[in-house]
Amino acid sequence: QVQLVESGGGWVQPGGSLRLSCAASGFTFSDYAMSWYRQAPGKERELVAAVTSTGASTNYADSVKGRFTISRDNSKSAVYLQMNSLKPEDTAVYYCKADRVARPGLRYAYWGQGTQVTVSS
């Protein structure tokens, strides 16, 4: 069965760093684009960062550019989010997502259960 398991969340002071990991199983990881989303209380879920299936291309939300880095290791079926210079507004539940468009009109998407990141002093 498909599983995406996030880890690495926690509490950190402003300016600190965290590294999130997402371990995937139950599907062909290297066929899927991977992304990180986050959802703060009372707000909609938003895209934070994404990486293509090969890792060749990435994109980031403007709010995290220059601070966060997404990477993946297809040999380990894992995707990571290195978060530096964290701010209180980065506080949210962070979700890992796997995405694949098999053909026009047929899309596969899987979500992890989320990991809490809290940035406060």
Side-chain angles (χ1 to χ4, degrees), residues 20-60:
L20 305 184
S21 299
C22 174
S25 61
F27 62 99
T28 305
F29 183 77
S30 57
D31 286 346
Y32 285 70
M34 298 299 297
S35 52
W36 288 94
Y37 283 72
R38 67 185 180 187
Q39 187 166 21
K43 295 189 176 181
E44 292 187 355
R45 194 171 295 190
E46 63 173 354
L47 176 67
V48 175
V51 60
T52 55
S53 59
T54 62
S57 181
T58 58
N59 67 281
Y60 297 91

Side-chain angles (χ1 to χ4, degrees), residues 96-118:
C96 171
K97 182 186 180 188
D99 238 311
R100 175 182 173 233
V101 178
R103 63 174 185 267
L106 180 59
R107 181 181 186 182
Y108 298 95
Y110 308 117
W111 289 91
Q113 83 290 347
T115 185
Q116 176 71 46
V117 171
T118 302

Side-chain angles (χ1 to χ4, degrees), residues 14-98:
S17 298
L18 283 175
R19 187 189 193 219
L20 305 184
S21 299
C22 174
S25 61
F27 62 99
T28 305
F29 183 77
S30 57
D31 286 346
Y32 285 70
M34 298 299 297
S35 52
W36 288 94
Y37 283 72
R38 67 185 180 187
Q39 187 166 21
K43 295 189 176 181
E44 292 187 355
R45 194 171 295 190
E46 63 173 354
L47 176 67
V48 175
V51 60
T52 55
S53 59
T54 62
S57 181
T58 58
N59 67 281
Y60 297 91
D62 287 344
S63 59
V64 306
K65 279 181 183 176
R67 300 188 299 122
F68 290 11
T69 302
I70 188 171
S71 62
R72 65 188 294 159
D73 186 338
N74 285 352
S75 69
K76 295 182 179 179
S77 296
V79 63
Y80 309 99
L81 186 68
Q82 178 66 43
M83 305 186 295
N84 299 327
S85 302
L86 282 159
K87 305 175 181 180
E89 51 263 44
D90 295 317
T91 296
V93 177
Y94 283 71
Y95 298 90
C96 171
K97 182 186 180 188

